[in-house]
């Protein structure tokens, strides 16, 4: 069982003391972009988890939580802010004893911040303690939640992850694993889960494999710790080796005595991992879908140069995420690569800042023109994506103010014209520049001398495919194409309530687990 507490009593679930400027309990929403890490049969599981989460900090910077199991109790510590703000002190780790632990770093979309949604979430079920960390988004969570509430369920958070807990709790199957399988058969969308029970750890990935999850080992092959994480780079930090990806639709069970069991309980359609992991989200030193993310981004830049060459003096990346693509662009073009923009590393990504005012102020704090380099030069800026366009507009203006004679813009992804409903932070469609404008108006909006994007087929070629198969796409690319691989039940119902016809591509395909 779990012994929980607030800071003024002796309970064993603690909330960190740091405050956060984007806290908005009244505006919570369900969508998240997150990172998960789990360790079982590790000597200091919580310490390994904290280190792993630090390597995944780019996936979520608003909140962090770790739950451990000491053989009798589940103990949780959660806080707003970064991993280092909550788990740098030895005392914080000492509060989380045991050989099994799971953790979560979280970024919520606008209005979704709040300590009550910080994971792992924990519940006492009839079968015992149940802790869950989730990366992804359940696209029918609202519908499931309404049905559960009508049947008597009482929710403590606004997170879609809690829906899974209630589905497990109300399932009539005898074992926790069977109850989890039963629950996930009702779920639409994307998920990478790490679950802890008194018997051990369960890691599970959605049938399409939209969200990433990898498996590693620390220590000897027999008797060593088994780890799970959103990205392989988390294993590098803790001194573990990557074993393999958790397969789409796979459930891996690891007992406290070291037994490992792989189950495939769901019907698994052709996998559709998120292609945006290659473009932006994963750290460049990670491996995703069998490829080095760094090499994939260089290849994307090279393909971009083939499709959209530019007669300029310098190739300048928009740091940091545009750097590998700019290297590939420069190498393919035979042009000099230069750091014409210097980035402050003490400011978080503007792409994942929840409020517009914070995002816009962050651009000025984050980037500065290297005036002596770009003055009088024709430059091409390479960025990973254009979302709202406001950051691109400010960067182009900054380079002109620094004296660049021409400022061209090349983008290492196709136009982002559709919202993501699978756990990536993209704004509502009406705020996406590519949803509102064609190419030339977009160029005029950001005030560049020219603007071009890599094609969807070029992106696929860069990550090792011959091109996109329109009949059966090899990745989830809905943010570019509007081809959603699952039904979007909640969205369709909301649009009907609002008196709108759903977008044709919102219906999606029914690839749920059967």
């Amino acid at each position: 069982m779990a012994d929980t507490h607030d800071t003024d009593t002796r309970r064993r679930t603690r909330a960190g003391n740091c405050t956060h400027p984007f806290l908005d309990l009244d505006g919570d929403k369900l969508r998240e972009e997150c990172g998960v890490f789990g360790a079982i049969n590790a000597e200091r599981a919580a310490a390994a988890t904290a280190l792993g989460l630090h390597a995944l900090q780019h996936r979520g910077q608003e909140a962090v939580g770790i739950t451990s199991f000491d053989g009798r109790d589940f103990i949780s510590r959660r806080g707003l802010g970064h991993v280092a703000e909550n788990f740098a002190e030895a005392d914080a780790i000492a509060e989380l004893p045991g050989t099994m632990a799971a953790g979560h770093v979280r970024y919520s979309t606008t209005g979704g911040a709040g300590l009550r949604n910080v994971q792992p979430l924990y519940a006492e079920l009839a079968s015992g303690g149940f802790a869950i960390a989730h990366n992804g988004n359940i696209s029918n969570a609202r519908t499931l939640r309404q049905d559960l509430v009508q049947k008597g369920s009482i929710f403590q958070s606004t997170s879609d992850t809690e829906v899974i807990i209630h589905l497990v709790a109300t399932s009539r199957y005898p074992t926790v694993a069977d109850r989890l399988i039963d629950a996930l058969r009702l779920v639409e969308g994307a998920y990478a889960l790490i679950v802890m029970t008194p018997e051990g750890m369960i890691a599970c990935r959605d049938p399409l494999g939209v969200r990433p999850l990898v498996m590693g080992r620390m220590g000897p092959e027999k008797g060593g710790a088994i780890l799970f994480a959103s990205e392989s780079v988390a294993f590098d930090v803790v001194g573990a080796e990557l074993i393999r990806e958790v397969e789409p639709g796979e459930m891996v069970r690891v007992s406290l005595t070291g037994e490992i069991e792989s189950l495939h309980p769901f019907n698994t359609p052709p996998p559709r991992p998120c292609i945006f992991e290659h473009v932006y989200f994963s750290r460049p030193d990670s491996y995703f879908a069998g490829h080095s993310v760094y090499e994939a981004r260089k290849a994307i830049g090279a393909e971009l140069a083939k499709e959209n060459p530019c007669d300029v003096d310098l190739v300048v990346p928009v740091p940091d995420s545009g750097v590998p693509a700019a290297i590939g662009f420069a190498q393919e073009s035979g042009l000099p690569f230069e750091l014409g923009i210097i980035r402050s590393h003490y400011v978080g990504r503007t792409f994942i800042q929840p409020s517009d005012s914070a995002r816009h102020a962050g651009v000025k704090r984050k980037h500065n023109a290297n005036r002596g380099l770009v003055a009088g030069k024709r430059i091409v800026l390479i960025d990973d994506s254009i979302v709202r366009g406001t950051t691109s507009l400010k960067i182009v203006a900054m380079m002109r103010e620094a004296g660049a004679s021409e400022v061209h813009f090349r983008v290492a992804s196709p136009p982002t014209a559709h919202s993501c409903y699978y756990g990536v932070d993209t704004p509502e469609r009406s705020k996406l520049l590519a949803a509102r404008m064609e190419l030339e108006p977009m160029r005029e909006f950001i005030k560049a001398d020219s603007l071009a994007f890599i094609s969807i087929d070029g992106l696929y070629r860069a990550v090792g495919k011959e091109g996109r198969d329109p009949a059966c796409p090899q990745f989830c690319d809905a943010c570019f194409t509007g081809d959603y691989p699952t039904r979007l039940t909640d969205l369709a119902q909301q649009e009907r309530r609002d008196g709108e016809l759903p977008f044709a591509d919102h219906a999606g395909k029914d690839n749920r687990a059967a």
Side-chain angles (χ1 to χ4, degrees):
M1 62 180 295
D3 182 17
T4 60
H5 82 86
D6 290 324
T7 54
D8 57 347
T9 60
R10 289 299 301 166
R11 294 166 52 189
R12 298 186 73 184
T13 293
R14 293 192 177 175
N17 293 322
C18 93
T19 58
H20 199 273
F22 306 121
L23 183 61
D24 180 8
L25 291 176
D26 294 330
D28 284 356
K29 294 185 180 179
L30 300 178
R31 287 177 288 165
E32 300 174 354
E33 168 60 29
C34 312
V36 297
F37 187 95
I40 182 170
N41 300 321
E43 184 176 348
R44 299 180 68 234
T49 300
L51 285 172
L53 292 177
H54 192 272
L56 300 174
Q57 188 74 84
H58 58 287
R59 299 188 73 89
Q61 299 181 23
E62 282 195 356
V64 57
I66 296 176
T67 298
S68 71
F69 180 66
D70 65 3
R72 185 176 71 94
D73 293 333
F74 287 89
I75 309 98
S76 295
R77 183 181 176 93
R78 302 177 299 165
L80 301 176
H82 290 187
V83 178
E85 293 176 295
N86 290 278
F87 294 101
E89 300 297 329
D91 289 348
I93 300 299
E95 292 179 0
L96 298 165
T99 60
M100 180 171 67
H104 187 272
V105 288
R106 179 174 189 266
Y107 168 73
S108 66
T109 54
T110 304
L115 191 57
R116 58 178 168 169
N117 291 327
V118 178
Q119 300 184 34
L121 298 184
Y122 177 81
E124 287 281 355
L125 306 184
S127 57
F130 185 93
I132 182 170
H134 167 214
N135 174 29
N137 188 65
I138 299 172
S139 58
N140 65 335
R142 188 185 303 116
T143 303
L144 292 171
R145 183 187 183 103
Q146 290 170 348
D147 182 62
L148 287 162
V149 169
Q150 288 174 357
K151 293 177 179 178
S153 291
I154 299 173
F155 282 76
Q156 302 298 315
S157 76
T158 57
S159 170
D160 57 349
T161 308
E162 192 178 357
V163 170
I164 298 175
I165 294 178
H166 285 272
L167 291 173
V168 171
T170 55
S171 172
R172 297 187 178 184
Y173 280 84
T175 69
V176 174
D178 287 337
R179 290 179 181 179
L180 180 60
I181 292 168
D182 187 39
L184 294 178
R185 284 186 171 137
L186 299 174
V187 163
E188 298 172 6
Y191 54 83
L193 304 176
I194 297 176
V195 171
M196 294 193 299
T197 74
E199 289 73 41
M201 181 171 286
I202 301 172
C204 188
R205 196 173 175 197
D206 65 80
L208 290 168
V210 177
R211 300 263 61 84
L213 191 63
V214 291
M215 180 178 178
R217 178 184 291 110
M218 184 168 58
E221 184 170 347
K222 291 187 177 180
I226 295 298
L227 312 178
F228 298 96
S230 295
E231 295 183 36
S232 63
V233 68
F235 298 156
D236 298 336
V237 173
V238 301
E241 64 171 323
L242 172 66
I243 298 175
R244 62 178 177 87
E245 289 192 2
V246 175
E247 297 174 4
E250 182 184 14
M251 178 179 286
V252 181
R253 299 170 60 186
V254 185
S255 73
L256 293 172
T257 55
E259 289 84 7
I260 301 174
E261 181 183 13
S262 172
L263 306 173
H264 290 81
F266 310 118
N267 289 341
T268 50
R272 296 278 297 272
C274 172
I275 202 166
F276 211 70
E277 294 284 347
H278 277 308
V279 173
Y280 177 80
F281 271 110
S282 290
R283 261 179 50 164
D285 45 346
S286 285
Y287 280 78
F288 175 69
H291 293 272
S292 160
V293 174
Y294 177 77
E295 292 299 332
R297 288 178 186 167
K298 283 180 60 180
I300 292 170
E303 189 68 31
L304 178 62
K306 294 175 185 175
E307 292 185 348
N308 301 287
C310 198
D311 183 16
V312 293
D313 303 311
L314 301 176
V315 176
V316 175
V318 177
D320 286 325
S321 55
V323 170
I327 293 173
F329 191 101
Q331 290 175 346
E332 178 64 30
S333 303
L335 294 168
F337 169 91
E338 295 287 356
L339 297 179
I341 301 172
I342 306 302
R343 177 179 184 263
S344 169
H345 288 269
Y346 299 98
V347 180
R349 291 180 172 191
T350 57
F351 186 70
I352 59 174
Q353 292 290 345
S355 71
D356 286 340
S357 60
R359 184 181 302 109
H360 296 164
V363 174
K364 293 183 178 180
R365 297 196 308 269
K366 188 174 177 179
H367 297 115
N368 192 46
N370 190 346
R371 292 177 178 270
L373 180 69
V374 303
K377 299 292 198 306
R378 301 170 301 161
I379 67 170
V380 57
L381 295 169
I382 310 295
D383 205 354
D384 60 271
S385 59
I386 292 179
V387 183
R388 298 169 181 85
T390 52
T391 298
S392 305
L393 169 65
K394 293 176 185 296
I395 288 176
V396 169
M398 180 176 65
M399 303 314 287
R400 293 199 189 280
E401 291 169 4
S405 59
E406 294 179 16
V407 182
H408 302 266
F409 213 103
R410 297 292 182 268
V411 186
S413 62
T416 303
H418 303 269
S419 298
C420 175
Y421 300 97
Y422 301 123
V424 173
D425 170 45
T426 51
E428 60 189 56
R429 194 178 180 196
S430 63
K431 294 183 179 180
L432 295 171
L433 192 67
R436 298 188 290 114
M437 300 180 183
E438 298 295 331
L439 184 63
E440 178 58 20
M442 291 176 69
R443 182 199 67 77
E444 293 176 353
F445 178 85
I446 68 170
K447 295 180 168 50
D449 290 292
S450 70
L451 172 65
F453 297 78
I454 192 171
S455 68
I456 189 68
D457 282 322
L459 179 59
Y460 271 72
R461 286 192 294 270
V463 297
K465 308 297 182 182
E466 292 184 2
R468 183 181 190 269
D469 181 355
C472 186
Q474 305 93 315
F475 290 92
C476 178
D477 54 22
C479 56
F480 306 132
T481 64
D483 183 0
Y484 293 94
T486 72
R487 292 190 294 188
L488 302 176
T489 298
D490 289 348
L491 179 66
Q493 290 185 356
Q494 181 64 48
E495 290 176 332
R496 291 189 192 102
R497 283 194 296 268
D498 293 343
E500 301 173 2
L501 290 175
F503 293 120
D505 52 22
H506 280 179
K509 300 174 183 177
D510 188 7
N511 285 331
R512 292 179 302 160

